[in-house]
Amino acid sequence: MLQKAMISEIDIELITLNQAIRDHFAWANKLIEFSLFDDRMDNSFTDPKSHEICAFGHWLRLQLTSSEENTAALLAIEATHEIMHDAMRDVIHCIGNPRALREKLNNYFHAQIHFLEATDRYKTELISLRNCYDTLTGLPLRQLLYKDFSRIANLRHLKGSTFYLSLIDIDYFKAVNDTWGHNVGDIILKELGQLLASNVRMVDRCYRFGGEEFIFLQECQNYSDFTAVMLRIMNIVRTHDFIIPGKAIKITVTCGTTTVREGDELQAIIDRADKAMYFGKQNGRNQCRLWSENNMIDIEKSATILAR
């Protein structure tokens, strides 16, 4: 299952899954009505591809198209769904033949049970995944970062692009809590998390790492692309009005970033980003520093030099 960018995406998927299941039972109820009153059935019941025509089939195809990994649970649903439709057609063909009908009806009931078990397993996966998201900001938590990293490392190897890990920390966040209280601190965290999530590219991932820290995983074709992303994020945060009770305030962040090198352990990468971020804190805050073995590169200044 592809990890979602925000907890709200999981909630939407649970809602649409439940609706799709309700639609499917409405479809089955209509079949009973047709059978009892000898009404004419449309092809959504009798077509060999009826499992693709029904409302649940449309929902399932959409999920399989949008998922990029770990689709085993969805494929299990697809298989049981098709078997259930096949069993339903067998029932239809045996209407008027009570002896054969009982056996076909039992087969349908068993197929329905397997279908419901498969959808329940998928729901359980979604709910379990939901617990790996921060309820305040809606962002994935650090445990998903650790799960995602191996996939991202494999992508780097396959695509030959460069990945960056960036650690973002709110400047003077303790002063925010001390001045306005922890409720206002939570407002800032929530709004910043949503601001970051809505302004990263589709290929990037944003996490709530803990406290007032956030992490980006970014895929970039070159250094220029990377600096453009980070400059935009830094500017968006600086210029944004954070609405708290009675007023709007500005905040800044300090960012430490590093490239993801082949064979790197995730903790070693985070440690480098943390060192770069700490260097930025010690040298004025409100800046983005790239870890280097020789010096901590000021990304904004280097971007200005490159632009000349």
Side-chain angles (χ1 to χ4, degrees):
M1 186 188 305
L2 180 66
Q3 312 297 3
K4 310 299 182 182
M6 294 285 286
I7 195 171
S8 56
E9 294 180 23
I10 302 175
D11 291 337
I12 291 169
E13 188 161 344
L14 283 166
I15 290 168
T16 57
L17 171 59
N18 288 329
Q19 182 59 54
I21 293 171
R22 284 194 294 270
D23 289 343
H24 208 281
F25 277 103
W27 174 88
N29 291 341
K30 207 163 190 178
L31 173 69
I32 296 172
E33 183 182 346
F34 286 152
S35 303
L36 289 173
F37 298 105
D38 199 25
D39 290 339
R40 182 181 177 84
M41 298 181 191
D42 60 44
N43 67 343
S44 69
F45 297 95
T46 57
D47 192 287
K49 296 291 186 181
S50 61
H51 60 283
E52 297 178 359
I53 298 171
C54 75
F56 188 88
H58 286 295
W59 173 86
L60 185 57
R61 192 158 56 252
L62 179 63
Q63 299 307 312
L64 285 167
T65 302
S66 61
S67 295
E68 298 177 5
E69 57 169 282
N70 297 335
T71 57
L74 286 169
L75 291 173
I77 293 174
E78 182 183 42
T80 58
H81 181 235
E82 184 173 354
I83 291 169
M84 185 170 64
H85 271 263
D86 292 342
M88 180 65 79
R89 281 196 304 278
D90 288 343
V91 169
I92 294 170
H93 293 149
C94 289
I95 292 174
N97 183 353
R99 181 177 297 179
L101 181 59
R102 185 177 296 276
E103 178 187 351
K104 300 302 182 183
L105 198 57
N106 282 332
N107 289 343
Y108 170 73
F109 290 150
H110 281 101
Q112 188 181 68
I113 289 171
H114 291 312
F115 168 73
L116 290 174
E117 288 174 344
T119 56
D120 282 345
R121 284 194 294 271
Y122 186 60
K123 278 186 190 179
T124 300
E125 283 191 15
L126 287 175
I127 292 168
S128 177
L129 179 62
R130 195 185 189 281
N131 292 333
C132 294
Y133 283 70
D134 178 35
T135 55
L136 179 64
T137 64
L139 292 173
L141 293 165
R142 68 167 66 197
Q143 55 261 51
L144 280 186
L145 167 64
Y146 284 86
K147 287 182 180 179
D148 285 348
F149 180 72
S150 60
R151 175 178 62 84
I152 288 167
N154 288 335
L155 278 175
R156 178 195 179 282
H157 176 72
L158 292 171
K159 298 172 75 172
S161 50
T162 302
F163 281 89
Y164 294 84
L165 184 146
S166 302
L167 180 63
I168 293 177
D169 186 275
I170 300 174
D171 294 329
Y172 301 110
F173 188 66
K174 184 178 183 301
V176 171
N177 283 328
D178 290 344
T179 303
W180 289 292
H182 289 277
N183 287 339
V184 167
D186 284 349
I187 291 172
I188 300 296
L189 287 169
K190 181 177 181 179
E191 196 163 340
L192 178 59
Q194 293 173 348
L195 187 68
L196 295 175
S198 61
N199 283 283
V200 296
R201 303 168 306 164
M202 291 294 291
V203 294
D204 299 334
R205 296 281 292 162
C206 183
Y207 304 83
R208 169 94 185 271
F209 193 61
E212 64 271 26
E213 292 182 334
F214 299 83
I215 276 184
F216 278 145
L217 284 177
Q218 298 158 275
E219 176 190 357
C220 298
Q221 293 303 313
N222 51 57
Y223 181 72
S224 178
D225 286 348
F226 165 70
T227 56
V229 171
M230 294 312 299
L231 290 179
R232 186 170 65 86
I233 292 296
M234 294 292 289
N235 185 60
I236 286 170
V237 175
R238 286 171 183 149
T239 58
H240 183 75
D241 288 325
F242 288 82
I243 308 301
I244 66 173
K247 64 183 303 184
I249 64 172
K250 303 281 190 184
I251 67 166
T252 61
V253 296
T254 300
C255 175
T257 189
T258 182
T259 54
V260 176
R261 303 177 301 197
E262 190 168 356
D264 272 349
E265 294 291 333
L266 177 57
Q267 191 55 55
I269 300 168
I270 294 173
D271 288 345
R272 292 201 302 269
D274 187 61
K275 288 177 182 176
M277 187 268 291
Y278 183 76
F279 185 88
K281 292 279 189 183
Q282 295 298 305
N283 287 271
R285 294 179 171 83
N286 188 23
Q287 57 188 271
C288 187
R289 294 280 180 163
L290 174 67
W291 182 91
S292 167
E293 291 183 1
N294 298 318
N295 65 317
M296 301 295 182
I297 300 168
D298 187 321
I299 288 179
E300 294 176 280
K301 287 183 179 178
S302 71
T304 302
I305 294 170
L306 287 172
R308 290 174 182 170

Short mmCIF file of all heavy atoms in Angstrom, two decimals, residues 164-167 218 223-232 234 238 255-259 276 286-291 295-307:
data_model
loop_
_atom_site.label_atom_id
_atom_site.label_comp_id
_atom_site.label_asym_id
_atom_site.label_seq_id
_atom_site.Cartn_x
_atom_site.Cartn_y
_atom_site.Cartn_z
N TYR A 164 17.66 14.02 -1.35
CA TYR A 164 18.10 14.87 -0.25
C TYR A 164 17.19 14.64 0.95
O TYR A 164 15.99 14.45 0.80
CB TYR A 164 18.03 16.35 -0.64
CG TYR A 164 18.99 16.77 -1.72
CD1 TYR A 164 18.66 16.59 -3.06
CD2 TYR A 164 20.21 17.36 -1.42
CE1 TYR A 164 19.53 16.98 -4.07
CE2 TYR A 164 21.08 17.76 -2.42
CZ TYR A 164 20.74 17.56 -3.74
OH TYR A 164 21.60 17.96 -4.74
N LEU A 165 17.78 14.67 2.13
CA LEU A 165 17.01 14.67 3.37
C LEU A 165 17.23 16.01 4.05
O LEU A 165 18.37 16.43 4.25
CB LEU A 165 17.43 13.52 4.29
CG LEU A 165 16.62 13.37 5.58
CD1 LEU A 165 16.49 11.89 5.98
CD2 LEU A 165 17.23 14.15 6.74
N SER A 166 16.12 16.68 4.38
CA SER A 166 16.19 18.01 5.01
C SER A 166 15.46 17.99 6.34
O SER A 166 14.31 17.52 6.41
CB SER A 166 15.57 19.06 4.09
OG SER A 166 16.23 19.09 2.84
N LEU A 167 16.12 18.49 7.36
CA LEU A 167 15.55 18.58 8.70
C LEU A 167 15.21 20.04 8.98
O LEU A 167 16.08 20.91 8.93
CB LEU A 167 16.55 18.05 9.73
CG LEU A 167 16.13 18.06 11.20
CD1 LEU A 167 14.94 17.14 11.44
CD2 LEU A 167 17.31 17.63 12.08
N GLN A 218 13.46 14.43 -0.60
CA GLN A 218 13.26 15.04 -1.91
C GLN A 218 14.07 14.34 -2.99
O GLN A 218 15.23 14.00 -2.78
CB GLN A 218 13.68 16.52 -1.87
CG GLN A 218 12.87 17.35 -0.89
CD GLN A 218 13.64 18.59 -0.48
OE1 GLN A 218 14.45 18.54 0.44
NE2 GLN A 218 13.41 19.69 -1.18
N TYR A 223 21.35 19.84 -8.54
CA TYR A 223 21.44 20.73 -7.37
C TYR A 223 20.59 21.98 -7.54
O TYR A 223 20.00 22.49 -6.59
CB TYR A 223 22.91 21.10 -7.14
CG TYR A 223 23.12 22.00 -5.94
CD1 TYR A 223 22.99 21.51 -4.63
CD2 TYR A 223 23.45 23.35 -6.10
CE1 TYR A 223 23.19 22.34 -3.54
CE2 TYR A 223 23.66 24.18 -5.01
CZ TYR A 223 23.51 23.67 -3.74
OH TYR A 223 23.70 24.49 -2.65
N SER A 224 20.49 22.45 -8.76
CA SER A 224 19.70 23.64 -9.03
C SER A 224 18.22 23.40 -8.71
O SER A 224 17.56 24.27 -8.13
CB SER A 224 19.86 24.06 -10.50
OG SER A 224 19.07 25.20 -10.78
N ASP A 225 17.72 22.23 -9.09
CA ASP A 225 16.33 21.89 -8.77
C ASP A 225 16.12 21.85 -7.26
O ASP A 225 15.10 22.33 -6.74
CB ASP A 225 15.96 20.52 -9.37
CG ASP A 225 15.78 20.58 -10.87
OD1 ASP A 225 15.70 21.70 -11.42
OD2 ASP A 225 15.72 19.51 -11.49
N PHE A 226 17.08 21.27 -6.57
CA PHE A 226 16.98 21.15 -5.11
C PHE A 226 16.94 22.52 -4.44
O PHE A 226 16.09 22.80 -3.60
CB PHE A 226 18.15 20.33 -4.57
CG PHE A 226 18.33 20.45 -3.09
CD1 PHE A 226 17.40 19.88 -2.22
CD2 PHE A 226 19.40 21.15 -2.56
CE1 PHE A 226 17.56 20.00 -0.84
CE2 PHE A 226 19.57 21.27 -1.19
CZ PHE A 226 18.64 20.69 -0.33
N THR A 227 17.87 23.40 -4.84
CA THR A 227 17.91 24.73 -4.22
C THR A 227 16.63 25.52 -4.51
O THR A 227 16.14 26.26 -3.66
CB THR A 227 19.13 25.53 -4.69
OG1 THR A 227 19.13 25.61 -6.11
CG2 THR A 227 20.42 24.88 -4.21
N ALA A 228 16.07 25.33 -5.71
CA ALA A 228 14.83 26.03 -6.06
C ALA A 228 13.69 25.61 -5.12
O ALA A 228 12.90 26.45 -4.67
CB ALA A 228 14.46 25.74 -7.51
N VAL A 229 13.61 24.31 -4.83
CA VAL A 229 12.58 23.81 -3.92
C VAL A 229 12.76 24.39 -2.53
O VAL A 229 11.82 24.89 -1.90
CB VAL A 229 12.60 22.27 -3.86
CG1 VAL A 229 11.67 21.75 -2.75
CG2 VAL A 229 12.19 21.67 -5.20
N MET A 230 13.99 24.35 -2.02
CA MET A 230 14.24 24.81 -0.66
C MET A 230 14.06 26.32 -0.51
O MET A 230 13.54 26.79 0.49
CB MET A 230 15.65 24.40 -0.20
CG MET A 230 15.84 22.89 -0.07
SD MET A 230 14.51 22.07 0.87
CE MET A 230 14.65 22.88 2.46
N LEU A 231 14.47 27.08 -1.52
CA LEU A 231 14.28 28.53 -1.47
C LEU A 231 12.79 28.87 -1.44
O LEU A 231 12.36 29.78 -0.73
CB LEU A 231 14.94 29.19 -2.68
CG LEU A 231 16.48 29.19 -2.72
CD1 LEU A 231 16.98 29.85 -4.00
CD2 LEU A 231 17.06 29.88 -1.51
N ARG A 232 12.01 28.13 -2.22
CA ARG A 232 10.57 28.38 -2.24
C ARG A 232 9.94 28.06 -0.90
O ARG A 232 9.12 28.83 -0.37
CB ARG A 232 9.91 27.53 -3.34
CG ARG A 232 8.42 27.82 -3.54
CD ARG A 232 7.91 27.13 -4.78
NE ARG A 232 7.98 25.69 -4.65
CZ ARG A 232 7.02 24.94 -4.09
NH1 ARG A 232 5.93 25.53 -3.61
NH2 ARG A 232 7.14 23.64 -4.01
N MET A 234 11.43 27.98 2.11
CA MET A 234 11.88 28.95 3.10
C MET A 234 11.10 30.26 2.95
O MET A 234 10.68 30.87 3.95
CB MET A 234 13.38 29.22 2.95
CG MET A 234 14.28 28.02 3.26
SD MET A 234 14.26 27.54 5.01
CE MET A 234 15.16 28.90 5.76
N ARG A 238 8.50 32.12 5.67
CA ARG A 238 8.80 33.48 6.14
C ARG A 238 7.65 34.45 5.91
O ARG A 238 7.42 35.35 6.72
CB ARG A 238 10.04 34.02 5.43
CG ARG A 238 11.35 33.43 5.88
CD ARG A 238 12.47 33.87 4.96
NE ARG A 238 13.73 33.26 5.33
CZ ARG A 238 14.69 32.97 4.45
NH1 ARG A 238 14.51 33.23 3.16
NH2 ARG A 238 15.82 32.41 4.85
N CYS A 255 16.94 25.14 8.57
CA CYS A 255 16.94 23.84 7.88
C CYS A 255 18.37 23.34 7.70
O CYS A 255 19.28 24.09 7.34
CB CYS A 255 16.26 24.00 6.51
SG CYS A 255 16.32 22.51 5.50
N GLY A 256 18.55 22.04 7.99
CA GLY A 256 19.81 21.37 7.69
C GLY A 256 19.53 20.26 6.71
O GLY A 256 18.57 19.50 6.87
N THR A 257 20.34 20.16 5.68
CA THR A 257 20.06 19.18 4.62
C THR A 257 21.33 18.46 4.20
O THR A 257 22.45 18.94 4.42
CB THR A 257 19.39 19.88 3.41
OG1 THR A 257 18.94 18.91 2.49
CG2 THR A 257 20.36 20.83 2.74
N THR A 258 21.13 17.29 3.60
CA THR A 258 22.27 16.49 3.14
C THR A 258 21.81 15.58 2.01
O THR A 258 20.62 15.26 1.90
CB THR A 258 22.87 15.65 4.29
OG1 THR A 258 24.01 14.92 3.81
CG2 THR A 258 21.85 14.66 4.84
N THR A 259 22.75 15.18 1.19
CA THR A 259 22.42 14.22 0.13
C THR A 259 22.35 12.81 0.71
O THR A 259 23.02 12.50 1.70
CB THR A 259 23.46 14.25 -1.00
OG1 THR A 259 24.76 14.03 -0.44
CG2 THR A 259 23.43 15.57 -1.73
N ALA A 276 24.02 20.05 10.23
CA ALA A 276 23.88 21.24 9.38
C ALA A 276 22.84 22.19 9.95
O ALA A 276 23.04 23.42 9.96
CB ALA A 276 23.48 20.81 7.96
N ASN A 286 17.07 31.04 10.74
CA ASN A 286 16.35 31.53 9.55
C ASN A 286 17.19 31.32 8.29
O ASN A 286 17.36 32.25 7.47
CB ASN A 286 15.98 33.01 9.74
CG ASN A 286 15.08 33.52 8.62
OD1 ASN A 286 14.38 32.73 7.97
ND2 ASN A 286 15.09 34.82 8.39
N GLN A 287 17.72 30.12 8.13
CA GLN A 287 18.57 29.82 6.98
C GLN A 287 18.56 28.32 6.70
O GLN A 287 18.08 27.53 7.51
CB GLN A 287 20.00 30.29 7.24
CG GLN A 287 20.62 29.70 8.48
CD GLN A 287 21.96 30.35 8.80
OE1 GLN A 287 23.00 29.91 8.32
NE2 GLN A 287 21.93 31.42 9.62
N CYS A 288 19.10 27.96 5.55
CA CYS A 288 19.17 26.56 5.15
C CYS A 288 20.61 26.21 4.84
O CYS A 288 21.24 26.83 3.97
CB CYS A 288 18.27 26.33 3.92
SG CYS A 288 18.10 24.60 3.45
N ARG A 289 21.13 25.21 5.53
CA ARG A 289 22.53 24.80 5.38
C ARG A 289 22.63 23.38 4.84
O ARG A 289 21.92 22.47 5.30
CB ARG A 289 23.25 24.88 6.72
CG ARG A 289 23.38 26.30 7.28
CD ARG A 289 24.53 27.04 6.62
NE ARG A 289 24.67 28.41 7.14
CZ ARG A 289 25.76 29.14 6.98
NH1 ARG A 289 26.81 28.66 6.34
NH2 ARG A 289 25.80 30.38 7.45
N LEU A 290 23.52 23.19 3.87
CA LEU A 290 23.78 21.87 3.29
C LEU A 290 25.05 21.31 3.90
O LEU A 290 26.10 21.95 3.85
CB LEU A 290 23.91 21.98 1.77
CG LEU A 290 24.33 20.69 1.03
CD1 LEU A 290 23.24 19.64 1.12
CD2 LEU A 290 24.66 21.00 -0.43
N TRP A 291 24.93 20.10 4.47
CA TRP A 291 26.10 19.47 5.10
C TRP A 291 27.16 19.17 4.06
O TRP A 291 26.89 18.66 2.98
CB TRP A 291 25.67 18.17 5.78
CG TRP A 291 26.80 17.48 6.50
CD1 TRP A 291 27.16 17.64 7.80
CD2 TRP A 291 27.70 16.50 5.95
NE1 TRP A 291 28.23 16.84 8.10
CE2 TRP A 291 28.59 16.13 6.98
CE3 TRP A 291 27.85 15.92 4.69
CZ2 TRP A 291 29.59 15.19 6.79
CZ3 TRP A 291 28.86 15.00 4.49
CH2 TRP A 291 29.72 14.64 5.54
N ASN A 295 32.61 22.24 4.80
CA ASN A 295 31.91 23.37 5.39
C ASN A 295 30.40 23.19 5.21
O ASN A 295 29.96 22.34 4.44
CB ASN A 295 32.36 24.69 4.75
CG ASN A 295 31.97 24.76 3.28
OD1 ASN A 295 32.11 23.80 2.57
ND2 ASN A 295 31.50 25.91 2.85
N MET A 296 29.65 23.97 5.95
CA MET A 296 28.19 23.91 5.87
C MET A 296 27.72 24.98 4.88
O MET A 296 27.72 26.18 5.20
CB MET A 296 27.57 24.14 7.25
CG MET A 296 28.02 23.13 8.30
SD MET A 296 27.46 21.46 7.92
CE MET A 296 28.09 20.59 9.38
N ILE A 297 27.35 24.55 3.69
CA ILE A 297 27.04 25.49 2.61
C ILE A 297 25.72 26.21 2.88
O ILE A 297 24.71 25.58 3.20
CB ILE A 297 26.95 24.73 1.27
CG1 ILE A 297 28.29 24.06 0.97
CG2 ILE A 297 26.53 25.67 0.13
CD1 ILE A 297 28.23 23.06 -0.18
N ASP A 298 25.75 27.53 2.77
CA ASP A 298 24.54 28.34 2.88
C ASP A 298 23.83 28.26 1.53
O ASP A 298 24.27 28.83 0.53
CB ASP A 298 24.91 29.80 3.21
CG ASP A 298 23.68 30.65 3.50
OD1 ASP A 298 22.65 30.48 2.81
OD2 ASP A 298 23.75 31.50 4.41
N ILE A 299 22.71 27.54 1.48
CA ILE A 299 22.04 27.25 0.21
C ILE A 299 21.55 28.52 -0.47
O ILE A 299 21.66 28.68 -1.69
CB ILE A 299 20.88 26.26 0.44
CG1 ILE A 299 21.45 24.87 0.72
CG2 ILE A 299 19.95 26.21 -0.77
CD1 ILE A 299 20.41 23.80 0.99
N GLU A 300 21.02 29.44 0.30
CA GLU A 300 20.48 30.67 -0.29
C GLU A 300 21.60 31.53 -0.91
O GLU A 300 21.43 32.09 -1.99
CB GLU A 300 19.69 31.45 0.74
CG GLU A 300 18.42 30.70 1.15
CD GLU A 300 17.65 31.41 2.24
OE1 GLU A 300 18.03 31.29 3.42
OE2 GLU A 300 16.64 32.06 1.89
N LYS A 301 22.74 31.61 -0.24
CA LYS A 301 23.85 32.37 -0.79
C LYS A 301 24.43 31.67 -2.01
O LYS A 301 24.78 32.30 -3.01
CB LYS A 301 24.94 32.55 0.27
CG LYS A 301 24.56 33.55 1.36
CD LYS A 301 25.69 33.75 2.34
CE LYS A 301 25.30 34.77 3.42
NZ LYS A 301 26.38 34.94 4.44
N SER A 302 24.54 30.34 -1.95
CA SER A 302 25.08 29.60 -3.10
C SER A 302 24.16 29.72 -4.31
O SER A 302 24.62 29.78 -5.44
CB SER A 302 25.31 28.13 -2.74
OG SER A 302 24.07 27.44 -2.60
N ALA A 303 22.83 29.74 -4.05
CA ALA A 303 21.87 29.90 -5.16
C ALA A 303 22.00 31.25 -5.81
O ALA A 303 21.90 31.40 -7.04
CB ALA A 303 20.46 29.68 -4.65
N THR A 304 22.28 32.28 -5.00
CA THR A 304 22.47 33.64 -5.54
C THR A 304 23.71 33.69 -6.41
O THR A 304 23.70 34.32 -7.48
CB THR A 304 22.60 34.65 -4.38
OG1 THR A 304 21.42 34.59 -3.57
CG2 THR A 304 22.77 36.06 -4.92
N ILE A 305 24.76 33.03 -5.97
CA ILE A 305 26.02 33.01 -6.74
C ILE A 305 25.81 32.27 -8.06
O ILE A 305 26.26 32.73 -9.12
CB ILE A 305 27.15 32.35 -5.93
CG1 ILE A 305 27.50 33.22 -4.72
CG2 ILE A 305 28.38 32.11 -6.79
CD1 ILE A 305 28.43 32.56 -3.72
N LEU A 306 25.08 31.14 -8.01
CA LEU A 306 24.84 30.36 -9.21
C LEU A 306 24.01 31.13 -10.23
O LEU A 306 24.10 30.95 -11.43
CB LEU A 306 24.13 29.05 -8.86
CG LEU A 306 24.97 27.97 -8.17
CD1 LEU A 306 24.09 26.82 -7.73
CD2 LEU A 306 26.08 27.46 -9.13
N ALA A 307 23.11 32.00 -9.69
CA ALA A 307 22.21 32.75 -10.56
C ALA A 307 22.91 33.88 -11.30
O ALA A 307 22.37 34.43 -12.27
CB ALA A 307 21.05 33.32 -9.75
#
